[in-house]
Amino acid sequence: MDPFIQLVIEAWRIFRMPKETKVPLPTLERLATYFRYLSELASSDVETISSAHIEEATGIRAAQFRKDLSYFGEFGRPGIGYGVRDLLRRIARILKVEKEQPVILIGAGNLGSALVGYSGLRKYNFNIVAVFDSNPNKIGYKLWDRDIYDIERLKEINESLGVKIAVVTVPAANAQNVVDRLVESGIKVILNFAPTTLKVPEGVMVRHVCFIQELTVLSFFLDSDEV
Amino acid sequence: MDPFIQLVIEAWRIFRMPKETKVPLPTLERLATYFRYLSELASSDVETISSAHIEEATGIRAAQFRKDLSYFGEFGRPGIGYGVRDLLRRIARILKVEKEQPVILIGAGNLGSALVGYSGLRKYNFNIVAVFDSNPNKIGYKLWDRDIYDIERLKEINESLGVKIAVVTVPAANAQNVVDRLVESGIKVILNFAPTTLKVPEGVMVRHVCFIQELTVLSFFLDSDEV
DNA sequence: TAGATTGTTAATCGATTAACAATC
DNA sequence: TAGATTGTTAATCGATTAACAATC
């Protein structure tokens, strides 16, 4: 088929996807894994890979990989495999990380500082464009090279920035309040590091990263007889 | 039934559980959520809760909560609900976090520093007892109040410590090497912050926390028409 | 052509939810 | 007793895996 037509079909399919075909969340999580792995691979001289290769490298089953991609169209050539750079570019487009994505961070504490200073962010096309805090000893200063603004100015400032992604690294006790303000300010997706459950309106998505919770799950798998 | 007999039965059930009845991983993750929520609640004056209350507070369905607990025995009283302190104590025992759990951390960078400095750790009964790094400018110094040791001494030092849990905050390129050493040193479960897939032998468990990957998944849910 | 590997369908597996008898 | 709420069974739902025809 004409490659142009094919692209148009794919664009259309992706465009109507989120609401309709309903991509499973585990598929999206794996897609992020493929994306990371392919990014590494792209700087090597490997040009083509098979789904079996993906299984070997990521531990995700080959059939699973092909099934995951099938939600979004056709990506490989039977008997040949997948072109690394092409696959990377198309997955990046699906995940909307082909262009740089601006992010705001709330909470200029230790963790916030580590995240802003993390070089991997830029590598994967995210950019923390502004930091907010409520502590007068921090407001007006910088976190690395990013300005720290008064959280009271969140809505005002994001009116001009128009950022859709926020990272929350405030203490659990303040998290719900902060999230309410974020939603008010036009934020659509939130990555929450505070160890607490958050309530958000329909249409806003939250993901939760909890260090303690991960340790707790791991702890279960220790043998109870020893120690 | 005699509460003593009941406890013995429960202990026995938990003892043989991991290998046999096979508790679903999602159940363990939710158990960690219940644990966190009950910990908060325990410092209030609430004495009894219902599964409906849990649903309201955590967003996890009441039926799901009861089903999750059912893998481990009986915890509530029909018509009454669950005793907060009792439930907390029993979930803590299941997850093996009733006693303090020692943890070692590899990688004294920004992220490692944030984790060591995080007060929530102690609150949830984890304690980072030693930090390792390969950088001569760090070895022999301290991260907060914890000694930083040469990673070359990992096996030697853990011979006396006998720690089973490790947190990895080294760059992706070094992660597999570090993990191999950890396994050699008797570590049984690993929390990995490096953005890379790790290979471990049977019997060692890894969980993966990846900031970038979480952002990438969230990014998918942004509307593509705007921006 | 023969061998490799895809995309997709159908079968399997496992987790969530609903419903309700048992119990306080 | 009547109302509330559990623990568990059975029904539903959804995700993973296997298998294979189509294709390079």
PDB file of all heavy atoms in Angstrom, chain A residues 201-221:
ATOM      1  N   PRO A 201     -11.116  15.211  39.223  1.00  0.00           N
ATOM      2  CA  PRO A 201     -12.338  15.096  38.414  1.00  0.00           C
ATOM      3  C   PRO A 201     -12.090  14.228  37.188  1.00  0.00           C
ATOM      4  O   PRO A 201     -10.948  14.028  36.781  1.00  0.00           O
ATOM      5  CB  PRO A 201     -12.620  16.549  38.014  1.00  0.00           C
ATOM      6  CG  PRO A 201     -11.316  17.253  38.122  1.00  0.00           C
ATOM      7  CD  PRO A 201     -10.552  16.563  39.206  1.00  0.00           C
ATOM      8  N   GLU A 202     -13.188  13.722  36.638  1.00  0.00           N
ATOM      9  CA  GLU A 202     -13.176  13.035  35.342  1.00  0.00           C
ATOM     10  C   GLU A 202     -12.318  13.819  34.345  1.00  0.00           C
ATOM     11  O   GLU A 202     -12.380  15.051  34.311  1.00  0.00           O
ATOM     12  CB  GLU A 202     -14.628  12.985  34.831  1.00  0.00           C
ATOM     13  CG  GLU A 202     -14.841  12.128  33.612  1.00  0.00           C
ATOM     14  CD  GLU A 202     -15.176  10.686  34.022  1.00  0.00           C
ATOM     15  OE1 GLU A 202     -15.038  10.331  35.219  1.00  0.00           O
ATOM     16  OE2 GLU A 202     -15.560   9.930  33.131  1.00  0.00           O
ATOM     17  N   GLY A 203     -11.547  13.120  33.559  1.00  0.00           N
ATOM     18  CA  GLY A 203     -10.795  13.807  32.513  1.00  0.00           C
ATOM     19  C   GLY A 203      -9.388  14.180  32.915  1.00  0.00           C
ATOM     20  O   GLY A 203      -8.580  14.567  32.080  1.00  0.00           O
ATOM     21  N   VAL A 204      -9.099  14.093  34.208  1.00  0.00           N
ATOM     22  CA  VAL A 204      -7.730  14.315  34.670  1.00  0.00           C
ATOM     23  C   VAL A 204      -7.173  12.963  35.092  1.00  0.00           C
ATOM     24  O   VAL A 204      -7.865  12.166  35.722  1.00  0.00           O
ATOM     25  CB  VAL A 204      -7.681  15.292  35.855  1.00  0.00           C
ATOM     26  CG1 VAL A 204      -6.256  15.415  36.398  1.00  0.00           C
ATOM     27  CG2 VAL A 204      -8.211  16.649  35.438  1.00  0.00           C
ATOM     28  N   MET A 205      -5.939  12.706  34.701  1.00  0.00           N
ATOM     29  CA  MET A 205      -5.353  11.392  34.983  1.00  0.00           C
ATOM     30  C   MET A 205      -4.210  11.534  35.977  1.00  0.00           C
ATOM     31  O   MET A 205      -3.385  12.432  35.841  1.00  0.00           O
ATOM     32  CB  MET A 205      -4.840  10.814  33.677  1.00  0.00           C
ATOM     33  CG  MET A 205      -4.045   9.557  33.836  1.00  0.00           C
ATOM     34  SD  MET A 205      -4.769   8.225  32.845  1.00  0.00           S
ATOM     35  CE  MET A 205      -3.910   6.812  33.512  1.00  0.00           C
ATOM     36  N   VAL A 206      -4.176  10.632  36.953  1.00  0.00           N
ATOM     37  CA  VAL A 206      -3.099  10.631  37.946  1.00  0.00           C
ATOM     38  C   VAL A 206      -2.379   9.302  37.892  1.00  0.00           C
ATOM     39  O   VAL A 206      -3.016   8.249  37.789  1.00  0.00           O
ATOM     40  CB  VAL A 206      -3.649  10.809  39.379  1.00  0.00           C
ATOM     41  CG1 VAL A 206      -2.521  10.700  40.397  1.00  0.00           C
ATOM     42  CG2 VAL A 206      -4.358  12.141  39.516  1.00  0.00           C
ATOM     43  N   ARG A 207      -1.072   9.343  37.949  1.00  0.00           N
ATOM     44  CA  ARG A 207      -0.313   8.128  38.235  1.00  0.00           C
ATOM     45  C   ARG A 207       0.475   8.346  39.506  1.00  0.00           C
ATOM     46  O   ARG A 207       0.865   9.461  39.825  1.00  0.00           O
ATOM     47  CB  ARG A 207       0.594   7.729  37.074  1.00  0.00           C
ATOM     48  CG  ARG A 207      -0.173   7.055  35.959  1.00  0.00           C
ATOM     49  CD  ARG A 207       0.709   6.683  34.808  1.00  0.00           C
ATOM     50  NE  ARG A 207       1.528   5.516  35.062  1.00  0.00           N
ATOM     51  CZ  ARG A 207       1.131   4.258  34.892  1.00  0.00           C
ATOM     52  NH1 ARG A 207      -0.082   4.010  34.464  1.00  0.00           N
ATOM     53  NH2 ARG A 207       1.935   3.245  35.124  1.00  0.00           N
ATOM     54  N   HIS A 208       0.703   7.237  40.209  1.00  0.00           N
ATOM     55  CA  HIS A 208       1.225   7.316  41.544  1.00  0.00           C
ATOM     56  C   HIS A 208       2.560   6.573  41.614  1.00  0.00           C
ATOM     57  O   HIS A 208       2.632   5.400  41.291  1.00  0.00           O
ATOM     58  CB  HIS A 208       0.206   6.663  42.492  1.00  0.00           C
ATOM     59  CG  HIS A 208       0.460   6.907  43.928  1.00  0.00           C
ATOM     60  ND1 HIS A 208      -0.241   6.308  44.933  1.00  0.00           N
ATOM     61  CD2 HIS A 208       1.358   7.685  44.536  1.00  0.00           C
ATOM     62  CE1 HIS A 208       0.199   6.712  46.094  1.00  0.00           C
ATOM     63  NE2 HIS A 208       1.186   7.546  45.878  1.00  0.00           N
ATOM     64  N   VAL A 209       3.607   7.274  42.016  1.00  0.00           N
ATOM     65  CA  VAL A 209       4.892   6.621  42.236  1.00  0.00           C
ATOM     66  C   VAL A 209       5.147   6.631  43.724  1.00  0.00           C
ATOM     67  O   VAL A 209       5.255   7.693  44.330  1.00  0.00           O
ATOM     68  CB  VAL A 209       6.028   7.372  41.528  1.00  0.00           C
ATOM     69  CG1 VAL A 209       7.372   6.756  41.902  1.00  0.00           C
ATOM     70  CG2 VAL A 209       5.831   7.353  40.024  1.00  0.00           C
ATOM     71  N   CYS A 210       5.201   5.440  44.328  1.00  0.00           N
ATOM     72  CA  CYS A 210       5.417   5.406  45.769  1.00  0.00           C
ATOM     73  C   CYS A 210       6.495   4.418  46.141  1.00  0.00           C
ATOM     74  O   CYS A 210       6.308   3.213  46.164  1.00  0.00           O
ATOM     75  CB  CYS A 210       4.131   5.108  46.512  1.00  0.00           C
ATOM     76  SG  CYS A 210       4.362   5.274  48.287  1.00  0.00           S
ATOM     77  N   PHE A 211       7.636   4.993  46.429  1.00  0.00           N
ATOM     78  CA  PHE A 211       8.829   4.332  46.887  1.00  0.00           C
ATOM     79  C   PHE A 211       8.537   3.338  48.019  1.00  0.00           C
ATOM     80  O   PHE A 211       8.859   2.141  47.940  1.00  0.00           O
ATOM     81  CB  PHE A 211       9.727   5.462  47.370  1.00  0.00           C
ATOM     82  CG  PHE A 211      10.981   5.067  48.034  1.00  0.00           C
ATOM     83  CD1 PHE A 211      11.821   4.137  47.479  1.00  0.00           C
ATOM     84  CD2 PHE A 211      11.346   5.668  49.245  1.00  0.00           C
ATOM     85  CE1 PHE A 211      13.015   3.797  48.095  1.00  0.00           C
ATOM     86  CE2 PHE A 211      12.523   5.333  49.855  1.00  0.00           C
ATOM     87  CZ  PHE A 211      13.352   4.391  49.288  1.00  0.00           C
ATOM     88  N   ILE A 212       7.887   3.832  49.057  1.00  0.00           N
ATOM     89  CA  ILE A 212       7.574   3.026  50.230  1.00  0.00           C
ATOM     90  C   ILE A 212       6.703   1.830  49.874  1.00  0.00           C
ATOM     91  O   ILE A 212       6.930   0.711  50.321  1.00  0.00           O
ATOM     92  CB  ILE A 212       6.818   3.884  51.267  1.00  0.00           C
ATOM     93  CG1 ILE A 212       7.713   4.993  51.789  1.00  0.00           C
ATOM     94  CG2 ILE A 212       6.304   3.029  52.404  1.00  0.00           C
ATOM     95  CD1 ILE A 212       8.885   4.494  52.560  1.00  0.00           C
ATOM     96  N   GLN A 213       5.717   2.096  49.036  1.00  0.00           N
ATOM     97  CA  GLN A 213       4.800   1.040  48.656  1.00  0.00           C
ATOM     98  C   GLN A 213       5.523  -0.064  47.885  1.00  0.00           C
ATOM     99  O   GLN A 213       5.252  -1.248  48.082  1.00  0.00           O
ATOM    100  CB  GLN A 213       3.683   1.661  47.800  1.00  0.00           C
ATOM    101  CG  GLN A 213       2.363   0.966  47.944  1.00  0.00           C
ATOM    102  CD  GLN A 213       1.194   1.903  47.660  1.00  0.00           C
ATOM    103  OE1 GLN A 213       1.301   3.121  47.893  1.00  0.00           O
ATOM    104  NE2 GLN A 213       0.112   1.376  47.157  1.00  0.00           N
ATOM    105  N   GLU A 214       6.461   0.331  47.045  1.00  0.00           N
ATOM    106  CA  GLU A 214       7.249  -0.646  46.297  1.00  0.00           C
ATOM    107  C   GLU A 214       8.086  -1.499  47.243  1.00  0.00           C
ATOM    108  O   GLU A 214       8.156  -2.715  47.108  1.00  0.00           O
ATOM    109  CB  GLU A 214       8.176   0.064  45.299  1.00  0.00           C
ATOM    110  CG  GLU A 214       7.455   0.873  44.243  1.00  0.00           C
ATOM    111  CD  GLU A 214       6.619   0.020  43.310  1.00  0.00           C
ATOM    112  OE1 GLU A 214       7.019  -1.114  43.019  1.00  0.00           O
ATOM    113  OE2 GLU A 214       5.533   0.484  42.906  1.00  0.00           O
ATOM    114  N   LEU A 215       8.710  -0.838  48.204  1.00  0.00           N
ATOM    115  CA  LEU A 215       9.501  -1.575  49.188  1.00  0.00           C
ATOM    116  C   LEU A 215       8.622  -2.544  49.968  1.00  0.00           C
ATOM    117  O   LEU A 215       9.016  -3.674  50.258  1.00  0.00           O
ATOM    118  CB  LEU A 215      10.179  -0.614  50.169  1.00  0.00           C
ATOM    119  CG  LEU A 215      11.474   0.042  49.724  1.00  0.00           C
ATOM    120  CD1 LEU A 215      12.009   0.965  50.807  1.00  0.00           C
ATOM    121  CD2 LEU A 215      12.538  -1.010  49.391  1.00  0.00           C
ATOM    122  N   THR A 216       7.425  -2.092  50.290  1.00  0.00           N
ATOM    123  CA  THR A 216       6.512  -2.922  51.070  1.00  0.00           C
ATOM    124  C   THR A 216       6.130  -4.186  50.302  1.00  0.00           C
ATOM    125  O   THR A 216       6.120  -5.288  50.857  1.00  0.00           O
ATOM    126  CB  THR A 216       5.253  -2.114  51.433  1.00  0.00           C
ATOM    127  OG1 THR A 216       5.657  -0.899  52.073  1.00  0.00           O
ATOM    128  CG2 THR A 216       4.359  -2.892  52.368  1.00  0.00           C
ATOM    129  N   VAL A 217       5.837  -4.023  49.018  1.00  0.00           N
ATOM    130  CA  VAL A 217       5.507  -5.197  48.203  1.00  0.00           C
ATOM    131  C   VAL A 217       6.694  -6.157  48.159  1.00  0.00           C
ATOM    132  O   VAL A 217       6.540  -7.364  48.334  1.00  0.00           O
ATOM    133  CB  VAL A 217       5.111  -4.783  46.766  1.00  0.00           C
ATOM    134  CG1 VAL A 217       5.008  -5.994  45.863  1.00  0.00           C
ATOM    135  CG2 VAL A 217       3.803  -4.015  46.776  1.00  0.00           C
ATOM    136  N   LEU A 218       7.883  -5.618  47.957  1.00  0.00           N
ATOM    137  CA  LEU A 218       9.085  -6.462  47.909  1.00  0.00           C
ATOM    138  C   LEU A 218       9.280  -7.202  49.222  1.00  0.00           C
ATOM    139  O   LEU A 218       9.636  -8.379  49.241  1.00  0.00           O
ATOM    140  CB  LEU A 218      10.318  -5.611  47.608  1.00  0.00           C
ATOM    141  CG  LEU A 218      10.467  -5.183  46.158  1.00  0.00           C
ATOM    142  CD1 LEU A 218      11.599  -4.180  46.014  1.00  0.00           C
ATOM    143  CD2 LEU A 218      10.735  -6.401  45.267  1.00  0.00           C
ATOM    144  N   SER A 219       9.053  -6.487  50.300  1.00  0.00           N
ATOM    145  CA  SER A 219       9.247  -7.050  51.629  1.00  0.00           C
ATOM    146  C   SER A 219       8.443  -8.338  51.816  1.00  0.00           C
ATOM    147  O   SER A 219       8.902  -9.298  52.436  1.00  0.00           O
ATOM    148  CB  SER A 219       8.855  -6.001  52.669  1.00  0.00           C
ATOM    149  OG  SER A 219       8.772  -6.562  53.936  1.00  0.00           O
ATOM    150  N   PHE A 220       7.249  -8.369  51.239  1.00  0.00           N
ATOM    151  CA  PHE A 220       6.404  -9.567  51.315  1.00  0.00           C
ATOM    152  C   PHE A 220       7.128 -10.817  50.842  1.00  0.00           C
ATOM    153  O   PHE A 220       6.922 -11.902  51.361  1.00  0.00           O
ATOM    154  CB  PHE A 220       5.136  -9.371  50.476  1.00  0.00           C
ATOM    155  CG  PHE A 220       4.310 -10.623  50.324  1.00  0.00           C
ATOM    156  CD1 PHE A 220       3.424 -11.008  51.313  1.00  0.00           C
ATOM    157  CD2 PHE A 220       4.439 -11.423  49.193  1.00  0.00           C
ATOM    158  CE1 PHE A 220       2.656 -12.163  51.173  1.00  0.00           C
ATOM    159  CE2 PHE A 220       3.683 -12.581  49.053  1.00  0.00           C
ATOM    160  CZ  PHE A 220       2.792 -12.947  50.041  1.00  0.00           C
ATOM    161  N   PHE A 221       7.984 -10.644  49.823  1.00  0.00           N
ATOM    162  CA  PHE A 221       8.604 -11.811  49.194  1.00  0.00           C
ATOM    163  C   PHE A 221       9.815 -12.349  49.945  1.00  0.00           C
ATOM    164  O   PHE A 221      10.408 -13.339  49.542  1.00  0.00           O
ATOM    165  CB  PHE A 221       8.975 -11.489  47.740  1.00  0.00           C
ATOM    166  CG  PHE A 221       7.778 -11.335  46.866  1.00  0.00           C
ATOM    167  CD1 PHE A 221       7.258 -10.078  46.574  1.00  0.00           C
ATOM    168  CD2 PHE A 221       7.138 -12.451  46.359  1.00  0.00           C
ATOM    169  CE1 PHE A 221       6.131  -9.941  45.781  1.00  0.00           C
ATOM    170  CE2 PHE A 221       6.016 -12.319  45.556  1.00  0.00           C
ATOM    171  CZ  PHE A 221       5.502 -11.062  45.276  1.00  0.00           C
TER     172      PHE A 221
END
